[in-house]
Amino acid sequence: MEDLFANRKDIKSFTLPQLKEEMGLLGEKTFRAVQLYEWMHRKLAAGYEEMTNIPRKLADRCREQYEYTTLRLLQVQESRLDGTRKYLFELPDGNTVESVWMRYKHGNSVCISSQVGCRMGCRFCASTLDGLERNLLPSEMLEQIYAITRHTAERVSNVVVMGTGEPLDNFDHLIQFITLLSDENGLHISQRNITVSTCGIVPRMRQLADRHLQITLALSLHAATDEKRRELMPIANRYSVDELMEVCAYYFEQTGRRITFEYSLVKGVNDSDDDAMQLIRLIRGLNCHVNLIPVNPIKEREYVQSERRAVEAFQNKLEQGGVNATVRREMGRDIDGACGQLRRRHLKQQDPGREDCQVDA
Ligand code: SAH
């Protein structure tokens, strides 16, 4: 585990078996691990003071031995259009991350960040403009969901790892996070209700497939040809569309889970009839679903959202070509909707002279 806290271990990032082992090392009975775990991951305790059945002496020892990761709520924005809430949190080291809470008919969904910043450099994305600061710990990913659950007092039923960061660039912590989140002794969110979105790091996608999890994998495709994809995403210089298709087929083979392709529509760049035809030819044979996202313009780039008619035409074309496609409902348009915008505004306010950094593969 990444050693963010120097010599201190992070108690909320342990699985139950790991915590039992830790308690063993402290000379404690294993049922104490069960109690602590329940307080942290089921009752979502904000600190040891809430843990009424944990002896003071043990709580003090834990405080000494471990970091107890919590996030400080800095800001909440609520959309007047659809009730979507955007949260800005401060991490223990002073960095900030943002998360989004959305209410759908089928339950509440939270979109979390997996890194502070990102080094993937996608041209249309605000999260990557300042580069990567660091990976998030499993506890810091969990705590985004826990803090929001405490704040809303409502259960979260779906989690999407689609906020700031490239989750597969933080692979081990991501897997530990999924294990903890879906654990029956914790929030017990079904893996089928967890989606991980990647820009397409092929070897890591293969590694993920080999874990045989039941999560949904979403691939940010955004273009059907290498040439076009390279214009939008530097990662496309490393892995070709053919390699991506191969690993998607492998993912389905290994897990039985249908792949989701994300396709952000940019006016005049990837939204023509020809683009739709190329996409159909590429993915027709795969067990998949396409999620069309009208690009959310960021002020640092020129990209313009496709017109509504173009979005509908693109979707119809895909459907006629036998490819399942839905248009993602835009939520929270009035509240810094696109990934990374709220955090960026916060950073700029603190340091108005801040320079943007360019990332190239
Ligand atoms: N790094 C991961 C997950 C975070 S981004 C990935 O690339 O998938 C989540 C999704 O939002 C990705 O599909 C990404 O390409 C898309 N995205 C980022 N900025 C966007 C914007 N301004 N408009 C529309 N989609 C955007």
Side-chain angles (χ1 to χ4, degrees), residues 312-330:
E312 276 165 23
F314 200 93
Q315 181 190 16
N316 288 338
K317 190 108 195 162
L318 292 185
E319 294 278 356
Q320 284 160 16
V323 170
N324 267 314
T326 44
V327 179
R328 181 173 312 162
R329 248 173 74 209
E330 272 191 279

Side-chain angles (χ1 to χ4, degrees), residues 124-125 162-163 165-167 197-199 220 222 262 264 295-296 339:
F124 44 80
C125 178
M162 282 190 190
E166 168 49 48
S197 174
T198 179
C199 65
S220 301
H222 304 321
E262 291 162 277
S264 296
V295 82
N296 206 332
C339 322

Side-chain angles (χ1 to χ4, degrees), residues 253-267:
E253 223 175 85
Q254 291 300 309
T255 64
R257 302 286 294 158
R258 185 176 79 159
I259 299 271
T260 298
F261 292 110
E262 291 162 277
Y263 195 103
S264 296
L265 287 158
V266 188
K267 186 175 178 179

Side-chain angles (χ1 to χ4, degrees), residues 192 194-196 213-219 248-249 251-261 283 286-291 319 322-326:
R192 290 171 172 265
I194 302 174
T195 298
V196 170
L213 301 176
Q214 282 301 293
I215 60 168
T216 299
L217 181 63
L219 170 65
C248 284
Y251 190 87
F252 179 72
E253 223 175 85
Q254 291 300 309
T255 64
R257 302 286 294 158
R258 185 176 79 159
I259 299 271
T260 298
F261 292 110
I283 64 175
L286 282 172
N287 207 321
C288 68
H289 176 89
V290 176
N291 212 332
E319 294 278 356
V323 170
N324 267 314
T326 44

